[in-house]
Amino acid sequence: MPAPLAPATRSAIADDIRIGELGRNAIARKHHVAAGTVTNIARHEGLWFGDDWRTSIGTYAHRVDCDLKRQQREAELMNDLLALPQTTRQRDGRETKAHRRLSYQLYDLHRHHA
């Protein structure tokens, strides 16, 4: 376990966060500490980084893009499933391989994103 951070270093890191000219990683490099240490100090002091809003907007945009791709993939799979012949069962009552494959892909698409 590493030695506790000196109070002077902790104070200097908190001051750099308050000034807001440097990002988290730059502050970590400047003081030779881990980026998580800078985050923990900011959280403990009730501080935040000036560009947090950019990160949250970028995260939201990424989530929207992923949702759109998932919906497009679901539409493709449904169209493929509907394009299968009317008979989706073999003579012994089991579903055809193509039907099983497509239905599992649909299930898998929703398994973690419902």
Side-chain angles (χ1 to χ4, degrees):
M1 184 171 196
L5 204 56
T9 306
R10 182 176 292 277
S11 173
I13 291 172
D15 290 341
D16 281 344
I17 296 169
R18 280 187 197 92
I19 292 170
E21 292 177 359
L22 299 173
R24 182 189 70 157
N25 292 343
I27 292 171
R29 282 190 297 271
K30 177 180 175 184
H31 296 283
H32 306 289
V33 296
T37 302
V38 176
T39 301
N40 291 336
I41 291 170
R43 188 178 303 128
H44 184 265
E45 298 287 328
L47 303 172
W48 58 90
F49 297 96
D51 60 349
D52 279 353
W53 63 273
R54 288 184 188 155
T55 303
S56 62
I57 289 173
T59 303
Y60 179 75
H62 180 70
R63 194 174 82 215
V64 168
D65 288 344
C66 288
D67 287 344
L68 179 64
K69 287 178 186 176
R70 194 175 307 112
Q71 289 173 1
Q72 290 170 343
R73 179 67 178 143
E74 181 181 7
E76 290 172 8
L77 289 172
M78 284 301 292
N79 288 336
D80 291 347
L81 192 62
L82 293 172
L84 288 176
Q86 292 289 39
T87 307
T88 59
R89 300 210 177 263
Q90 297 176 355
R91 289 185 184 161
D92 60 359
R94 292 181 300 146
E95 294 176 338
T96 61
K97 215 180 250 188
H99 187 272
R100 278 195 316 261
R101 187 178 341 106
L102 287 171
S103 63
Y104 183 76
Q105 286 176 345
L106 273 169
Y107 161 76
D108 198 39
L109 189 67
H110 286 282
R111 184 168 50 158
H112 300 291
H113 306 289

